[in-house]
Amino acid sequence: MSTKTNTPRPDSLCHTLSQLDAFAEARGWRKFHSPKNLAMAMIVEAAELVEIFQWQTEEESNNVEACPEQWGNVQDELADVMLYCLRIAQVTGVDPIEAMQQKLQKNALKYPASANPARREPAPK
């Protein structure tokens, strides 16, 4: 017989959000976590992600996992950007999954696949 608990799975978004909030609380950072401050911090982290790829060719950027140090940096900076986005969602009351699903639907209407001329061209090699 299995027992159900209210504890989120360690790999779930709910668990990550809970950890994120606990992290901020334990350090007394909640008072600094306004949407404005978090958005600015997220942009700084996004710039650090861009910096990794700044002078790479398309081919190099497509194969970044071949360099373990760079691959680790990409993972770290991407995680920073995502964590800030999630924290912004928390403090503004936005459900990130619902917001992304709604945005995907809007994009599908705005950019229908059938109207995209790039679909008719072969992918770059």
Side-chain angles (χ1 to χ4, degrees):
M1 179 173 148
S2 69
T3 44
K4 226 177 178 180
T5 66
N6 289 338
T7 306
R9 289 187 359 236
D11 63 344
S12 74
L13 182 59
C14 288
H15 181 74
T16 301
L17 288 168
S18 178
Q19 285 182 297
L20 188 55
D21 190 55
F23 187 89
E25 174 63 22
R27 288 154 182 80
W29 290 353
R30 280 185 179 167
K31 62 187 169 206
F32 304 115
H33 285 188
S34 68
K36 175 191 77 74
N37 288 348
L38 291 166
M40 289 190 308
M42 185 271 301
I43 288 298
V44 170
E45 296 301 336
E48 291 178 7
L49 178 60
V50 169
E51 187 178 31
I52 295 166
F53 298 106
Q54 186 173 8
W55 303 114
Q56 291 185 350
T57 65
E58 291 294 318
E59 184 178 342
E60 289 169 334
S61 71
N62 284 326
N63 295 308
V64 71
E65 72 280 358
C67 175
E69 183 180 348
Q70 276 193 340
W71 183 237
N73 291 340
V74 168
Q75 290 177 21
D76 287 346
E77 298 308 334
L78 189 56
D80 285 339
V81 170
M82 291 188 295
L83 288 168
Y84 274 117
C85 287
L86 288 173
R87 189 67 179 146
I88 294 167
Q90 276 185 319
V91 302
T92 59
V94 170
D95 178 323
I97 300 296
E98 184 178 324
M100 289 185 292
Q101 291 297 319
Q102 288 177 1
K103 185 60 177 173
L104 284 169
Q105 289 174 2
K106 287 179 185 178
N107 286 348
L109 293 173
K110 187 174 181 178
Y111 307 106
S114 60
N116 184 357
R119 278 187 72 219
R120 295 183 283 276
E121 297 173 13
K125 294 183 182 196

Coordinates of all heavy atoms in Angstrom, one line a residue, residues 30-43 84-85 87-94:
R30 N 14.7 38.3 1.3 CA 13.3 38.6 0.8 C 13.1 40.1 0.7 O 12.4 40.5 -0.3 CB 12.3 37.9 1.7 CG 12.0 36.5 1.5 CD 10.9 36.0 2.4 NE 10.6 34.6 2.1 CZ 9.9 33.9 2.9 NH1 9.2 34.4 3.9 NH2 9.7 32.6 2.7
K31 N 13.6 40.8 1.6 CA 13.3 42.3 1.6 C 14.0 43.0 0.3 O 13.6 44.0 -0.1 CB 13.8 43.0 2.9 CG 15.3 42.8 3.1 CD 15.7 43.4 4.4 CE 17.2 42.9 4.8 NZ 17.4 42.9 6.2
F32 N 15.0 42.3 -0.3 CA 15.6 42.8 -1.5 C 15.0 42.3 -2.8 O 15.4 42.7 -3.8 CB 17.1 42.5 -1.5 CG 17.8 43.0 -0.2 CD1 18.4 42.0 0.7 CD2 17.9 44.3 0.1 CE1 19.0 42.5 1.8 CE2 18.6 44.7 1.2 CZ 19.1 43.8 2.1
H33 N 14.1 41.3 -2.6 CA 13.6 40.6 -3.8 C 12.3 41.3 -4.4 O 11.3 40.7 -4.5 CB 13.3 39.1 -3.5 CG 14.6 38.4 -3.4 ND1 14.6 37.0 -3.3 CD2 15.9 38.8 -3.5 CE1 15.9 36.6 -3.3 NE2 16.7 37.6 -3.4
S34 N 12.5 42.5 -4.8 CA 11.4 43.2 -5.5 C 11.5 42.7 -7.0 O 12.5 42.3 -7.4 CB 11.5 44.7 -5.4 OG 12.7 45.1 -6.2
P35 N 10.4 42.8 -7.7 CA 10.4 42.4 -9.1 C 11.5 43.2 -9.9 O 12.2 42.6 -10.7 CB 9.0 42.7 -9.6 CG 8.2 42.5 -8.4 CD 9.0 43.1 -7.3
K36 N 11.6 44.4 -9.6 CA 12.7 45.3 -10.3 C 14.1 44.8 -10.0 O 14.9 44.5 -10.9 CB 12.5 46.7 -9.8 CG 13.6 47.6 -10.3 CD 13.6 49.0 -9.6 CE 14.3 49.0 -8.3 NZ 15.7 48.9 -8.2
N37 N 14.4 44.5 -8.7 CA 15.7 44.1 -8.4 C 16.0 42.7 -9.0 O 17.1 42.4 -9.4 CB 15.9 44.0 -6.8 CG 16.0 45.4 -6.2 OD1 16.2 46.4 -6.9 ND2 15.9 45.4 -4.9
L38 N 15.0 41.8 -8.9 CA 15.2 40.5 -9.4 C 15.4 40.5 -10.9 O 16.2 39.7 -11.5 CB 14.0 39.6 -9.0 CG 14.0 39.2 -7.5 CD1 12.6 38.6 -7.2 CD2 15.1 38.3 -7.1
A39 N 14.6 41.3 -11.6 CA 14.7 41.4 -13.1 C 16.1 42.0 -13.5 O 16.7 41.5 -14.4 CB 13.6 42.3 -13.6
M40 N 16.6 42.9 -12.7 CA 17.9 43.5 -13.0 C 19.0 42.4 -12.8 O 19.9 42.2 -13.6 CB 18.2 44.7 -12.2 CG 17.4 45.9 -12.7 SD 17.9 47.5 -11.9 CE 17.8 47.2 -10.2
A41 N 18.9 41.6 -11.7 CA 19.8 40.6 -11.4 C 19.8 39.5 -12.5 O 20.8 38.9 -12.9 CB 19.6 40.0 -10.0
M42 N 18.6 39.2 -13.0 CA 18.4 38.2 -14.0 C 19.1 38.6 -15.3 O 19.8 37.8 -15.9 CB 16.9 37.9 -14.3 CG 16.7 36.8 -15.2 SD 16.6 37.3 -17.0 CE 15.3 38.5 -16.9
I43 N 19.0 39.9 -15.6 CA 19.7 40.4 -16.8 C 21.2 40.3 -16.7 O 21.9 40.0 -17.6 CB 19.3 41.8 -17.1 CG1 17.8 41.8 -17.6 CG2 20.2 42.5 -18.1 CD1 17.6 41.1 -18.9
Y84 N 16.4 33.1 -11.2 CA 15.9 34.5 -11.0 C 14.5 34.6 -11.7 O 13.6 35.3 -11.1 CB 16.9 35.5 -11.6 CG 17.9 35.9 -10.6 CD1 19.3 35.7 -10.9 CD2 17.6 36.6 -9.5 CE1 20.2 36.1 -10.0 CE2 18.5 37.0 -8.6 CZ 19.9 36.7 -8.8 OH 20.8 37.1 -7.9
C85 N 14.3 34.0 -12.8 CA 13.0 34.0 -13.4 C 11.9 33.4 -12.5 O 10.8 33.9 -12.4 CB 13.0 33.3 -14.8 SG 13.8 34.3 -16.1
R87 N 12.1 33.1 -9.3 CA 11.9 34.0 -8.1 C 11.0 35.2 -8.4 O 10.2 35.5 -7.6 CB 13.3 34.4 -7.6 CG 13.2 35.2 -6.3 CD 12.8 34.2 -5.1 NE 12.8 35.0 -3.9 CZ 11.9 34.8 -2.9 NH1 11.0 33.8 -3.0 NH2 11.9 35.5 -1.8
I88 N 11.2 35.7 -9.6 CA 10.3 36.8 -10.1 C 8.9 36.3 -10.1 O 7.9 37.0 -9.7 CB 10.7 37.4 -11.5 CG1 12.1 38.1 -11.4 CG2 9.7 38.3 -12.0 CD1 12.7 38.4 -12.7
A89 N 8.7 35.1 -10.7 CA 7.4 34.5 -10.7 C 6.8 34.3 -9.3 O 5.6 34.7 -9.0 CB 7.4 33.1 -11.4
Q90 N 7.6 33.9 -8.3 CA 7.2 33.7 -7.0 C 6.7 35.1 -6.4 O 5.6 35.1 -5.8 CB 8.3 33.2 -6.1 CG 8.5 31.7 -6.1 CD 9.6 31.3 -5.1 OE1 10.6 32.0 -5.0 NE2 9.3 30.2 -4.4
V91 N 7.5 36.1 -6.5 CA 7.2 37.3 -5.8 C 6.0 38.1 -6.5 O 5.4 38.9 -5.9 CB 8.4 38.3 -5.6 CG1 9.5 37.6 -4.8 CG2 8.9 38.8 -6.9
T92 N 5.8 37.8 -7.8 CA 4.7 38.4 -8.5 C 3.4 37.6 -8.5 O 2.4 38.1 -8.9 CB 5.1 38.8 -9.9 OG1 5.4 37.6 -10.6 CG2 6.2 39.8 -10.0
G93 N 3.5 36.4 -8.0 CA 2.3 35.5 -8.0 C 2.0 34.9 -9.4 O 0.9 34.4 -9.6
V94 N 3.0 34.8 -10.3 CA 2.8 34.2 -11.6 C 3.1 32.7 -11.5 O 4.1 32.3 -11.0 CB 3.7 34.9 -12.6 CG1 3.7 34.2 -14.0 CG2 3.3 36.4 -12.8

